[in-house]
Amino acid sequence: MIRWKRAWIIAKKDLSEFKKQKLVIGSIIAMPLVLGVALPLIMFIPIATMAGPMDMVWDVEGLIEIDKCQTKDCFEEPKTNQTLENIYFNKTTVQNMYLKNVSLQDCVIMFCIIENSIITDSTIQNCSIYYSQIENTILLFSEGKQLDGKNIIAVNSSLTFTKTKESETAKLIPIILNYVLVLFVIIPATLPTIIASYSIVGEKNNRSLEPILATPTTDGEILAGKILSSFVPSMGSTLIAFVSGAVLIDIAFFYLLGYIPLPTLNWILVITLLAPTASLMSILALVLVSSKVTDVRAAQQIGGFVIMPVIILMLGVVSGFIFLSPFTIILFSIFYSCIDLGLFYFAKSIFNREDILTKWA
Amino acid sequence: MITTEGLSKHFGKIKAIDDFTIEIPDGKIFGLLGPNGAGKTTTMRILACLINPTSGRAFIDEYEIGKEKDNQNIRAMIGLLPEVPGLYETLSAYKNLDYYAQLHDVPKAKREENIKNLLTSLDLWERRNDPIGEFSKGMKQKIAIARALVHEPKYLFLDEPTAALDPEASKMIRNYILELKSKGRTILINTHNLAEAERICDTVAVVKNRLIKVGNPKELAHKLFARTISITLDYIPDSLIKDISVLDYISNIRTDGNKLFLNIKAPEENNPKIISWLTKRGLNVQFVSEEEYSLEDVYLKLIEEAE
């Protein structure tokens, strides 16, 4: 029976020591910053640049350049019998407009104000309308169907909004999010290779395990303390990176598409299941490595191999062989948990006083 | 009380300690003496419940070593100073001690009191917040001893407590050990320092992978060596050795200048007789003293015999 209070005393001591270790502190800060914040941003820059040509497809023939019409003169005569397709309206004010027999199809309308206008005998189909206002606009004999809209104040209008299709960018989002998501499995699996090696090999080199073993602390409590001291900073750091990364991605997507994509079920499952099991796997493997090596650097180098199951996952996702769905995440979590369980029993069997004192040196 | 009965520990084919039986009464200092690899540290580790014996039994008070539940109780009663201090160099002296006190479940107020008392008595209270890495070897050893005492253990196990310390620091540690004994602690010491063991140990055990001899240092000397007295005379006549050899209670007669050396049985009883015998022959006895054998003499003789 593990007394967790005692295990926490051991972990707390290790955490106090980490504060004085520049490499450990540096890694805890830098790795999440690079992998959890900088890298996702770098990944989203090309997406942001790709978004223009993909969504802003102008149908040049028969085009009505609505966003350039800011004066009444633009709409002195009704624009009739026009078809607007694949047009991207952004931050456009349309006033005193008279549209007749106009068909709006596959358009994205964002941050637009349409007021004091008449849209008559027109069809609005498969359009996405975000954060726009349609006010005092008379929709006469117009059909508004299969529209995707958000936060729209529709006055005297009969539009119904249903999400019907995804843009090309929207189709890319889950793939990109998966790329980013796998980073939050890499971080908690990699950080222990630095932290745990200091926690156990450092203690072994310092010959400070013997006095601990002479206290009424059980082998299991010492092992639990050592696991906690690596798990807490690894997962804590990952969580901070996760929240920061999610917020940045939300901001980027909101600007691009007008909605916040996170958190999704995938992300919640990764941070609550996959990341902790991957972190534990790495820590437990490091405990085993630490029993055989006497040098922190050697432990760190061998530690690179212990995260192989996580690297396999990452390669699978990046190559497109594995798609992170809730099912695959749970499947990998179960797989990692089984490895964790095996490693824990193995670690427990070698983490005993006699072996530590007589075989670990 | 600490007792062992036929205690053995084998590492594969190597017998670290074999058939080891001792008894350490409460409030005494017991020294384990022996060359490197003699099994002293192994014995101490068994008694500290760090490793299990291969065979035999050992008890501390009513608890038997090797039974997991008893081991927990024993560990709570002992304080261990290992051969290497094993302190946390980046942490302060106070934090080092506080950590171990917490692992021994010492309540916060008591922890603060104990740490203050220990650091004050070891002249380190002013340095309590300094990292251990900045301490000298002697100061680290003091902190390691304080760590072994922070939970007020009944039994104290010290492995080479003055090894690699300068004479001043060694003396300070020795005096502190004697002070602890006066407070009723039972202390087991592993040491190579025979002069130190002779000064502070009530009982010593000479070991070389088995128990060779156990006893009070003086008693061991008396058992191993015949008691020799030296008598300083004003002069020594040529015939004296021949004349004196007729006395049945003396043997091994030799002279050195005007000093006469004799091995004598029961000196308390026979010393007056021999002095009277010499006086009757017109010899003036200037000094009479007993030749002392050091623990080192005892140790070397025992180890030699064991080999």
Side-chain angles (χ1 to χ4, degrees):
Chain A
M1 187 68 185
I2 290 172
R3 291 164 291 184
W4 287 100
K5 189 183 166 192
R6 203 178 280 262
W8 181 238
I9 292 169
I10 293 169
K12 253 194 337 187
K13 188 277 298 169
D14 279 359
L15 295 174
S16 303
E17 276 201 296
F18 293 157
K19 284 183 203 164
K20 311 278 168 64
Q21 297 281 0
K22 284 178 187 167
L23 180 67
V24 175
I25 285 290
S27 306
I28 290 173
I29 295 169
M31 192 178 287
L33 209 65
V34 172
L35 292 182
V37 179
L39 202 56
L41 279 182
I42 291 167
M43 288 169 86
F44 278 110
I45 289 169
I47 304 302
T49 51
M50 279 160 67
M54 232 175 257
D55 286 350
M56 294 162 76
V57 180
W58 289 82
D59 182 11
V60 178
E61 206 169 330
L63 168 73
I64 297 174
E65 293 182 330
I66 290 173
D67 58 336
K68 291 180 182 170
C69 296
Q70 300 291 330
T71 61
K72 280 183 183 179
D73 301 338
C74 278
F75 297 111
E76 276 178 356
E77 292 299 321
K79 306 293 178 188
T80 58
N81 302 318
Q82 298 289 330
T83 298
L84 302 178
E85 282 185 31
N86 296 319
I87 293 179
Y88 183 82
F89 298 99
N90 193 13
K91 295 176 186 168
T92 305
T93 301
V94 180
Q95 288 178 318
N96 306 317
M97 183 177 68
Y98 179 32
L99 289 177
K100 191 176 181 183
N101 295 327
V102 169
S103 173
L104 280 171
Q105 283 184 11
D106 301 315
C107 297
V108 176
I109 302 169
M110 287 177 70
F111 305 108
C112 295
I113 297 170
I114 303 169
E115 58 183 14
N116 303 322
S117 301
I118 297 169
I119 301 172
T120 184
D121 302 316
S122 301
T123 306
I124 304 172
Q125 279 189 332
N126 299 327
C127 292
S128 297
I129 305 173
Y130 302 112
Y131 306 99
S132 300
Q133 288 182 45
I134 303 173
E135 285 183 4
N136 304 319
T137 297
I138 303 165
L139 290 159
L140 292 171
F141 312 108
S142 296
E143 195 179 357
K145 62 181 183 181
Q146 293 182 316
L147 305 177
D148 182 8
K150 284 185 180 176
N151 302 333
I152 292 168
I153 303 164
V155 182
N156 297 328
S157 65
S158 60
L159 298 177
T160 55
F161 300 100
T162 332
K163 190 173 176 65
T164 53
K165 72 179 191 72
E166 282 182 326
S167 68
E168 289 303 314
T169 306
K171 283 176 192 168
L172 270 178
I173 291 169
I175 299 164
I176 301 302
L177 286 182
N178 272 356
Y179 288 170
V180 175
L181 195 50
V182 83
L183 295 174
F184 297 105
V185 187
I186 298 282
I187 299 168
T190 311
L191 276 177
T193 62
I194 296 156
I195 302 171
S197 51
Y198 267 96
S199 161
I200 300 168
V201 181
E203 194 116 46
K204 189 172 151 183
N205 284 346
N206 197 29
R207 303 276 296 270
S208 46
L209 277 171
E210 189 170 352
I212 299 175
L213 298 172
T215 66
T217 313
T218 64
D219 300 344
E221 285 158 2
I222 297 171
L223 179 62
K226 291 290 161 196
I227 291 171
L228 270 180
S229 69
S230 297
F231 186 77
V232 168
S234 299
M235 277 310 295
S237 184
T238 306
L239 266 176
I240 292 169
F242 180 84
V243 172
S244 316
V247 168
L248 283 170
I249 289 166
D250 275 343
I251 291 169
F253 271 88
F254 180 76
Y255 180 75
L256 192 67
L257 298 173
Y259 69 95
I260 47 172
L262 296 176
T264 61
L265 180 61
N266 271 10
W267 278 56
I268 290 166
L269 287 174
V270 162
I271 204 68
T272 54
L273 292 177
L274 200 55
T277 51
S279 187
L280 269 180
M281 184 170 61
S282 176
I283 293 166
L284 288 164
L286 253 296
V287 171
L288 297 175
V289 170
S290 301
S291 70
K292 297 289 171 199
V293 300
T294 51
D295 179 37
V296 172
R297 281 196 180 86
Q300 286 167 356
Q301 282 162 3
I302 299 169
F305 290 101
V306 307
I307 60 164
M308 278 315 284
V310 179
I311 299 291
I312 290 167
L313 172 71
M314 188 190 79
L315 291 174
V317 171
V318 171
S319 65
F321 184 70
I322 299 168
F323 184 79
L324 280 184
S325 64
F327 176 74
T328 51
I329 292 169
I330 290 170
L331 203 67
F332 265 93
S333 301
I334 292 169
F335 173 58
Y336 288 174
S337 300
C338 292
I339 297 177
D340 289 351
L341 212 62
L343 287 174
F344 180 76
Y345 280 108
F346 193 27
K348 202 165 178 282
S349 71
I350 64 157
F351 204 90
N352 67 72
R353 283 171 161 75
E354 187 147 349
D355 281 357
I356 290 167
L357 290 174
T358 59
K359 293 181 185 169
W360 281 33
Chain B
M1 179 186 276
I2 300 171
T3 51
T4 69
E5 297 165 5
L7 203 64
S8 300
K9 180 67 187 178
H10 303 168
F11 296 105
K13 288 180 183 173
I14 299 164
K15 291 180 179 179
I17 194 82
D18 197 38
D19 194 21
F20 188 77
T21 302
I22 54 163
E23 193 174 296
I24 307 173
D26 284 346
K28 300 288 181 191
I29 300 179
F30 189 98
L32 280 177
L33 315 178
N36 290 331
K40 304 186 299 289
T41 299
T42 300
T43 307
M44 191 170 269
R45 282 177 170 177
I46 293 172
L47 294 176
C49 304
L50 294 175
I51 55 177
N52 287 321
T54 308
S55 62
R57 300 170 82 189
F59 296 86
I60 295 185
D61 290 349
E62 69 272 30
Y63 303 112
E64 184 173 357
I65 286 163
K67 291 182 176 173
E68 193 45 43
K69 202 175 175 186
D70 284 1
N71 280 355
Q72 292 296 318
N73 291 318
I74 291 169
R75 288 188 198 117
M77 291 196 302
I78 61 159
L80 173 72
L81 170 75
E83 203 173 343
V84 178
L87 296 160
Y88 299 105
E89 302 270 315
T90 56
L91 300 185
S92 69
Y94 192 96
K95 279 192 173 169
N96 264 277
L97 298 182
D98 192 51
Y99 173 53
Y100 286 93
Q102 284 185 66
L103 290 178
H104 277 285
D105 294 325
V106 181
K108 193 168 188 285
K110 188 69 182 160
R111 284 204 308 267
E112 288 170 358
E113 184 193 331
N114 286 359
I115 293 169
K116 186 171 184 181
N117 288 342
L118 283 165
L119 290 181
T120 306
S121 65
L122 291 164
D123 291 329
L124 287 170
W125 177 245
E126 298 301 318
R127 304 285 308 269
R128 65 188 178 280
N129 293 322
D130 293 349
I132 290 291
E134 294 176 5
F135 282 23
S136 70
K137 204 176 258 185
M139 288 157 80
K140 284 179 185 172
Q141 193 72 346
K142 284 183 188 179
I143 296 294
I145 291 175
R147 179 187 61 196
L149 290 163
V150 76
H151 57 293
E152 300 179 314
K154 185 178 172 187
Y155 298 96
L156 192 57
F157 296 167
L158 308 174
D159 198 353
E160 304 285 355
T162 58
L165 294 186
D166 60 45
E168 199 184 358
S170 297
K171 190 182 175 193
M172 191 271 150
I173 299 280
R174 265 199 309 276
N175 290 341
Y176 193 67
I177 292 168
L178 288 170
E179 194 184 319
L180 292 170
K181 182 199 165 190
S182 70
K183 289 177 181 167
R185 293 226 159 77
T186 307
I187 301 166
L188 174 67
I189 296 180
N190 278 355
T191 185
H192 286 297
N193 189 333
L194 300 170
E196 178 180 278
E198 192 167 16
R199 272 182 231 170
I200 65 174
C201 292
D202 298 299
T203 310
V204 293
V206 179
V207 293
K208 196 179 180 203
N209 307 112
R210 63 185 171 82
L211 181 63
I212 296 172
K213 211 83 174 175
V214 63
N216 175 278
K218 279 203 167 57
E219 285 170 8
L220 283 178
H222 291 164
K223 278 181 196 170
L224 282 174
F225 299 100
R227 296 179 75 177
T228 303
I229 59 162
S230 88
I231 302 168
T232 310
L233 300 167
D234 51 353
Y235 78 102
I236 297 178
D238 293 341
S239 59
L240 183 65
I241 293 177
K242 192 183 171 189
D243 295 344
I244 205 169
S245 59
V246 298
L247 300 174
D248 59 355
Y249 51 84
I250 62 168
S251 60
N252 198 16
I253 307 151
R254 59 197 163 88
T255 59
D256 181 9
N258 60 343
K259 272 188 175 180
L260 178 67
F261 294 94
L262 311 161
N263 285 0
I264 188 163
K265 290 177 190 169
E268 291 81 2
E269 186 188 327
N270 292 321
N271 273 353
K273 288 183 191 171
I274 189 88
I275 289 161
S276 167
W277 188 90
L278 289 166
T279 314
K280 277 178 188 170
R281 274 153 187 78
L283 297 167
N284 291 323
V285 176
Q286 293 173 333
F287 300 102
V288 179
S289 62
E290 184 172 7
E291 287 295 290
E292 292 283 342
Y293 288 95
S294 68
L295 185 57
E296 186 176 68
D297 298 322
V298 172
Y299 172 84
L300 291 173
K301 188 173 167 60
L302 286 171
I303 293 294
E304 193 184 315
E305 281 174 7
E307 283 169 352

